[in-house]
Amino acid sequence: MKNIRNFCIIAHIDHGKSTLADRLLEYTKTLAEKDLQAQVLDNMDLERERGITIKSHAIQMNFNMDGQEYILNLIDTPGHVDFSYEVSRSIAACEGALLIVDATQGIQAQTISNLYMAIEHDLEIIPVMNKMDMDNAMPEEVEDQIVELIGCKRSDIIRASGKTGMGVEEILRAIVERVPAPKGDPDAPLQCLIFDSVFNAFRGIIAYFKIVNGTIHPGDLVKFIATGKEYDADEIGILKLDMVPQQSLSAGNVGYIISGIKTSREVKVGDTITHVKNPALHAIDGFEEVKPMVFAGVYPIETEDFEDLRAAIEKLQLNDASLTFEPESSIALGFGFRCGFLGMLHMEIVQERLDREFDMNVITTVPNVSYKVYTKKGELLEVHNPSGLPDVLAIDRIEEPYIRASIITRTEYIGQIMTLCLGKRGELVKQEYISGNRMELLFDMPLGEIVFDFYDKLKSISKGYASFDYHMNGYRASKLIKLDILLNGEPVDALSSLIHFDNAVALGRRMCEKLKELIPRQQFDIAVQAAIGAKIIARETIKAVRKDVTAKCYGGDISRKRKLLEKQKKGKKRMKQIGSVEVPQKAFLAVLKLD
């Protein structure tokens, strides 16, 4: 055990984690020449296309130092704020972390939040300055920032470059020298912490674990503590680029177990595996339950695909434990699921993965957050969906979730960023200089306001320099109302939203105008209205497509024309009573993109 080192890589998005991981794998000859490709650990098509890491990936390397053979277990983690849950799970399976900072950009918001997470778990932090080969690198400034942030010595900071391979040997030596070996007793009762799982069509569910105490062999009868189910360990092994079966694994190791589990509900991330014969007395303190920030309805386009969608989401949840879902139904869209996501990027990725990996075509409703509604009887309801709101007269007050947002930016963009945040009902808590021309702004803001397009706007205002991170900060009472969209007097529940009173009229007007463009014309007039309760606040009319019935009347009395027009009008009126309006998928999506 004293020769094992478990470590992860944490950094802000785009600071070169995956590229540096490639160099480490190359240096330790974990990969054959033919397997070499850029970002080798990002094995999902989506990750390669977007150039971001979505999943944490574990891989084992062997490193020879001063005649001793060391086993290094590396876990590469995502950098985007929406995938911070992946990072927290990786951190729980490690004793050390490489903190990578881009020498051209300095410290950014996500670096700080991931660092605090690592410090809470008492990990040994090794600071690395990446991209030193760039012409615009600012090593002195960035070193000052790192020293100020973690209070290390300047000599502790390793200068490296993922592109050229500079500093890679130094990093590996630092891992062996500074990161403590895992603690644990190979002879104690078995305790393994599950930190990830994936679904394989042939082998069933494969769980990835870290052994805290004890030893496991193939063929052992094991038990999952949280679900209480028992299985035979058909195969255990370590994770290289592929899975490598082993005859035994003991405390301190990271590996996988295949036990022929078929249903996804039986494997929970954060669960503990132990032996049936000599069980551990208690489970390992796992992860906190993840709290979704954004909720949206996901519906199959064809109603009969409902069960297939359920199976697809369950399999996806194995690989992405931060996704939560529960069934719901809507008048307009039929049966579907109310899904909880960590943010808009997460929602987009889940939608894309459902399409690619499971061939599921889905409609997503307007995303919103969860509100607390207090009724006059003193009951407390949690509402995720505007249609779940009780009658207006029964509501005492509605509370909405607030976040504490930290924005790190250059001083020249401060004015515009403040305007943006104050326009989203934000309150400035404090602002302080971090170094030179960089400032940190702290705002209290309603989560509902940043759900849509806040992050995109922030990036475009600051030309990509502002970095953003947030955490929940309680609930506050707020003047919220339900905005309904009516087509021909019928409310379309998929388009209704809970919104702050001040923004309702403007949004209602814009939604009506947008829907007028997108809904195809019918044989009868369609009234598109926005309403708050019984009060209509905006209206647009989609004109009917009509045949020119008076074309055959040339000359003659006006009453002939009038008679034909009256007859047509009656037909249109009858049609309107029985006609229904189809809302195209484009319209649902366009409403999300209203700026």
Side-chain angles (χ1 to χ4, degrees):
M1 246 174 84
K2 65 180 194 304
N3 287 3
I4 297 177
R5 301 285 182 274
N6 297 325
F7 70 100
C8 60
I9 301 186
I10 56 178
H12 192 79
I13 189 166
D14 269 350
H15 279 202
K17 298 176 290 297
S18 302
T19 312
L20 202 64
D22 289 355
R23 297 293 85 77
L24 296 174
L25 297 176
E26 209 174 328
Y27 188 88
T28 54
K29 303 209 171 24
T30 307
L31 295 182
E33 290 284 320
K34 67 176 196 306
D35 292 330
L36 277 180
Q37 55 170 348
Q39 282 96 19
V40 68
L41 292 177
D42 292 350
N43 52 11
M44 214 187 291
D45 297 343
L46 257 176
E47 292 181 314
R48 299 199 145 278
E49 278 168 32
R50 289 172 178 242
I52 54 176
T53 306
I54 294 169
K55 284 290 301 164
S56 304
H57 297 278
I59 190 162
Q60 191 176 93
M61 307 182 282
N62 293 40
F63 175 56
N64 202 318
M65 180 172 131
D66 307 335
Q68 279 270 37
E69 186 76 26
Y70 289 94
I71 294 174
L72 309 181
N73 287 313
L74 152 72
I75 303 182
D76 178 29
T77 63
H80 196 282
V81 58
D82 278 12
F83 305 111
S84 53
Y85 185 60
E86 288 285 332
V87 183
S88 73
R89 303 191 334 218
S90 311
I91 286 174
C94 294
E95 282 83 35
L98 291 183
L99 176 74
I100 293 184
V101 180
D102 184 335
T104 62
Q105 292 186 342
I107 282 172
Q108 299 201 299
Q110 199 58 37
T111 319
I112 297 176
S113 74
N114 286 345
L115 174 75
Y116 286 156
M117 217 188 286
I119 291 173
E120 269 171 37
H121 283 78
D122 289 338
L123 299 197
E124 178 63 39
I125 308 287
I126 301 175
V128 176
M129 219 164 28
N130 196 17
K131 305 199 186 179
M132 285 299 295
D133 59 312
M134 304 276 279
D135 298 336
N136 57 345
M138 323 172 281
E140 307 306 324
E141 273 181 52
V142 177
E143 262 183 11
D144 291 342
Q145 292 176 17
I146 296 176
V147 170
E148 201 173 312
L149 182 67
I150 57 179
C152 60
K153 298 193 201 71
R154 275 179 177 273
S155 56
D156 292 346
I157 301 171
I158 300 171
R159 298 187 172 197
S161 159
K163 199 180 258 177
T164 61
M166 153 189 176
V168 169
E169 187 182 354
E170 246 184 289
I171 292 173
L172 289 165
R173 282 184 165 275
I175 290 165
V176 172
E177 287 161 6
R178 297 192 215 168
V179 175
K183 300 176 183 68
D185 178 2
D187 304 322
L190 180 70
Q191 279 181 312
C192 309
L193 176 72
I194 299 180
F195 65 86
D196 204 356
S197 56
V198 328
F199 180 79
N200 180 312
F202 305 105
R203 314 287 309 262
I205 290 159
I206 304 170
Y208 298 159
F209 59 73
K210 178 198 177 183
I211 306 181
V212 179
N213 287 312
T215 306
I216 184 169
H217 301 85
D220 287 356
L221 188 61
V222 295
K223 174 175 154 190
F224 287 45
I225 292 182
T227 54
K229 295 275 172 61
E230 298 180 4
Y231 306 100
D232 285 315
D234 298 337
E235 179 181 312
I236 58 165
I238 55 170
L239 298 152
K240 290 271 176 126
L241 197 52
D242 296 316
M243 296 186 278
V244 183
Q246 300 288 319
Q247 282 315 302
S248 78
L249 283 176
S250 60
N253 262 307
V254 173
Y256 68 90
I257 176 169
I258 299 177
S259 47
I261 304 171
K262 291 287 183 286
T263 46
S264 43
R265 290 192 203 86
E266 294 174 21
V267 179
K268 284 196 167 44
V269 167
D271 193 1
T272 305
I273 306 176
T274 186
H275 279 129
V276 173
K277 286 191 177 134
N278 178 16
L281 297 174
H282 56 89
I284 305 163
D285 297 335
F287 315 100
E288 65 277 13
E289 277 292 305
V290 56
K291 296 183 211 56
M293 301 281 187
V294 174
F295 296 88
V298 173
Y299 293 86
I301 285 179
E302 299 296 330
T303 325
E304 56 264 26
D305 294 343
F306 175 71
E307 281 305 323
D308 297 348
L309 180 64
R310 182 197 291 271
I313 294 182
E314 276 182 0
K315 284 173 189 166
L316 195 57
Q317 196 182 29
L318 275 177
N319 204 314
D320 180 357
S322 51
L323 173 67
T324 58
F325 69 97
E326 55 187 52
E328 73 161 4
S329 64
S330 136
I331 306 162
L333 300 169
F335 291 104
F337 295 97
R338 186 107 204 128
C339 296
F341 307 97
L342 296 184
M344 291 296 274
L345 177 70
H346 186 209
M347 176 172 139
E348 218 176 293
I349 295 289
V350 166
Q351 216 175 328
E352 189 86 353
R353 285 182 71 182
L354 281 172
D355 184 28
R356 292 188 183 201
E357 295 171 29
F358 304 100
D359 212 17
M360 289 302 308
N361 232 336
V362 294
I363 293 178
T364 317
T365 62
V366 182
N368 54 21
V369 295
S370 64
Y371 298 96
K372 288 185 173 171
V373 179
Y374 291 87
T375 59
K376 288 187 174 156
K377 291 180 183 166
E379 299 168 322
L380 165 62
L381 307 170
E382 200 167 274
V383 175
H384 299 311
N385 187 347
S387 60
L389 208 62
D391 190 61
V392 186
L393 300 174
I395 297 173
D396 177 37
R397 67 182 191 281
I398 303 178
E399 292 189 352
E400 62 175 336
Y402 263 68
I403 57 164
R404 172 66 56 88
S406 140
I407 298 170
I408 296 180
T409 178
R410 294 192 172 178
T411 41
E412 62 256 38
Y413 306 120
I414 293 237
Q416 290 166 293
I417 288 176
M418 282 197 169
T419 312
L420 173 70
C421 295
L422 296 172
K424 298 274 187 192
R425 299 192 285 132
E427 296 162 16
L428 183 64
V429 181
K430 69 168 182 186
Q431 54 184 39
E432 56 184 357
Y433 280 94
I434 299 179
S435 66
N437 65 345
R438 291 159 66 82
M439 281 194 83
E440 179 173 29
L441 302 172
L442 287 181
F443 276 94
D444 278 347
M445 298 172 73
L447 180 62
E449 293 281 342
I450 67 156
V451 163
F452 290 120
D453 52 3
F454 176 77
Y455 194 59
D456 301 343
K457 281 189 176 165
L458 181 71
K459 282 290 183 210
S460 51
I461 284 176
S462 63
K463 303 191 171 48
Y465 275 111
S467 57
F468 171 68
D469 187 51
Y470 61 88
H471 56 264
M472 291 302 288
N473 195 20
Y475 282 76
R476 295 191 197 174
S478 192
K479 196 173 178 189
L480 295 165
I481 47 166
K482 181 180 170 190
L483 177 70
D484 284 315
I485 298 292
L486 313 175
L487 291 180
N488 273 346
E490 290 293 318
V492 181
D493 62 345
L495 290 173
S496 59
S497 52
L498 272 172
I499 186 166
H500 194 264
F501 183 77
D502 300 346
N503 309 342
V505 176
L507 183 80
R509 207 162 280 155
R510 285 210 309 273
M511 279 173 91
C512 289
E513 286 164 11
K514 196 78 184 166
L515 289 169
K516 184 183 177 183
E517 292 167 26
L518 291 167
I519 293 176
R521 289 170 68 182
Q522 310 279 344
Q523 291 284 341
F524 48 91
D525 282 359
I526 304 169
V528 182
Q529 295 164 311
I532 298 171
K535 184 182 173 195
I536 304 291
I537 55 169
R539 169 180 173 134
E540 294 284 338
T541 307
I542 301 171
K543 284 288 176 204
V545 186
R546 26 190 296 239
K547 180 181 167 193
D548 187 358
V549 286
T550 56
K552 61 176 188 273
C553 303
Y554 46 92
D557 194 354
I558 184 74
S559 57
R560 285 183 61 206
K561 290 186 181 177
R562 207 168 275 152
K563 186 174 153 196
L564 287 167
L565 288 169
E566 283 298 323
K567 193 174 165 190
Q568 184 186 33
K569 201 164 153 191
K570 271 186 194 153
K572 296 279 182 207
K573 192 173 170 189
R574 196 162 55 244
M575 212 182 258
K576 185 170 182 170
Q577 285 166 357
I578 57 169
S580 65
V581 185
E582 287 292 313
V583 183
Q585 164 72 6
K586 277 209 307 261
F588 289 113
L589 296 177
V591 173
L592 310 189
K593 296 197 168 56
L594 279 177
D595 50 334

